[in-house]
Amino acid sequence: MGLFSKLKSKFSSSSENGKSSASLEEVRKEMRSHSRYPVSFNGEATVVMAGGWRGSVLDISYGGIAVSFESSNCNLTESVSALSSCTLEILGRSHQFQLKTVRTIPNGKDTLYVGFCFEHTAPDTLIYLREVIEPIRCGRSLEELNSEFRSEQYKGNNWHCFRGDGPVDIVLHTDDSKNKVMETLITLKSGDSYYEVGIRDDRLWTSKSAGGTNSQLMGGARMTPNKTPDIAILRKAFLILASAPIKSSKTVRPLLDAITGAIRDQKKSAA
């Protein structure tokens, strides 16, 4: 039984206290076995604790997070609460958590590293984490395709093609300086749908597959453009690109910057 199936079973069987407690403990044991993923976009991933402490997320897993607290954002002379309510915000989307302090490591006088584990009490917590962790995992698997594996039209020096788990496919065309995106198409899968993020002639768009079943998708789904760029799709693309391996991160940086700007524009227009 998978992790999410166990959570669903646990929360739908609250009347069976003994069985429920055993199921939750089994889930917690499994969570400790999950890999932690480094968070390279610290400025876009923050934690605010009930006491006012604010920190940057260093890594994340289904079981917990590591956070860096600076003296400019909190009083490091105080002790970290053993159990605290907090808000985790990533790219403007937030969720409430209960955090249990596992380990604290001072780093000089001005920084404190703290490891927390999540006290999972509702399945929506895991849903939130999945929407963050899965794109990060896919991004870390990205590999650039050698020219012999590309179509003839994409073999120029300014063309780059990437493929990763998910699946994720990226075709990127930059200018001679390698600092501006001339054209790109990102195709990614989430649930039973495919999504696209594209840029051409300085215009950014997003689209979603019209087909809703695996058979329709495998047959070549028709993509339906969104009237305005979908911020949920842009977030997924950001998490994928921001998590690219070091050898690919410099190449995708102009594309990441373009998507970051689009996310900020969407947030401003929604405010």
Side-chain angles (χ1 to χ4, degrees):
M1 183 184 291
L3 178 59
F4 290 96
S5 298
K6 290 175 181 175
L7 276 173
K8 183 178 179 182
S9 173
K10 185 268 173 189
F11 289 110
S12 64
S13 306
S14 57
S15 60
E16 302 177 31
N17 293 331
K19 182 178 179 181
S20 182
S21 298
S23 179
L24 181 56
E25 181 57 29
E26 185 179 359
V27 168
R28 285 174 171 160
K29 286 180 180 178
E30 185 168 335
M31 285 172 185
R32 286 194 288 269
S33 69
H34 283 283
S35 299
R36 284 182 178 262
Y37 294 95
V39 174
S40 58
F41 45 96
N42 305 112
E44 302 290 348
T46 59
V47 165
V48 179
M49 301 181 69
W53 283 37
R54 177 184 293 273
S56 300
V57 180
L58 299 175
D59 63 42
I60 189 168
S61 77
Y62 286 110
I65 52 176
V67 181
S68 173
F69 292 103
E70 305 292 332
S71 58
S72 57
N73 294 321
C74 50
N75 184 359
L76 296 184
T77 62
E78 299 177 354
S79 298
V80 184
S81 299
L83 184 64
S84 176
S85 297
C86 81
T87 300
L88 173 61
E89 181 175 313
I90 296 178
L91 295 173
R93 187 165 182 268
S94 61
H95 189 81
Q96 299 292 320
F97 289 87
Q98 286 286 323
L99 288 181
K100 181 179 180 181
T101 302
V102 177
R103 189 179 184 190
T104 60
I105 304 175
N107 183 34
K109 295 181 179 179
D110 298 323
T111 307
L112 181 68
Y113 298 144
V114 183
F116 297 100
C117 66
F118 298 123
E119 290 287 295
H120 292 283
T121 57
D124 60 338
T125 295
L126 268 294
I127 293 171
Y128 175 88
L129 290 172
R130 179 175 58 183
E131 291 176 355
V132 173
I133 291 174
E134 285 307 299
I136 292 176
R137 183 186 65 79
C138 294
R140 288 178 61 79
S141 72
L142 285 177
E143 292 188 1
E144 186 163 9
L145 301 180
N146 293 329
S147 59
E148 59 263 33
F149 297 109
R150 306 182 206 166
S151 301
E152 195 63 37
Q153 66 187 102
Y154 301 132
K155 288 190 175 182
N157 291 333
N158 291 350
W159 283 98
H160 305 273
C161 300
F162 299 86
R163 180 160 294 166
D165 293 345
V168 176
D169 286 290
I170 302 171
V171 176
L172 172 63
H173 183 207
T174 59
D175 65 357
D176 290 337
S177 70
K178 309 291 186 182
N179 294 321
K180 181 180 179 181
V181 177
M182 305 302 293
E183 184 178 355
T184 191
L185 183 65
I186 304 172
T187 305
L188 58 98
K189 186 174 184 289
S190 181
D192 288 332
S193 297
Y194 277 93
Y195 299 90
E196 289 180 344
V197 178
I199 297 176
R200 181 180 293 170
D201 298 328
D202 294 325
R203 185 179 72 86
L204 182 146
W205 78 91
T206 62
S207 58
K208 177 183 177 180
S209 59
T213 66
N214 286 333
S215 60
Q216 288 173 304
L217 295 174
M218 290 175 65
R222 179 172 59 85
M223 305 302 290
T224 302
N226 302 107
K227 292 183 179 179
T228 58
D230 187 319
I231 195 166
I233 301 174
L234 293 178
R235 282 196 188 100
K236 290 180 185 296
F238 174 95
L239 292 168
I240 290 169
L241 293 169
S243 305
I246 292 175
K247 62 183 179 181
S248 302
S249 59
K250 185 177 180 179
T251 304
V252 302
R253 171 54 62 179
L255 179 52
L256 180 60
D257 291 342
I259 290 175
T260 302
I263 291 174
R264 288 174 179 158
D265 290 343
Q266 286 290 85
K267 289 164 66 175
K268 286 179 182 178
S269 63

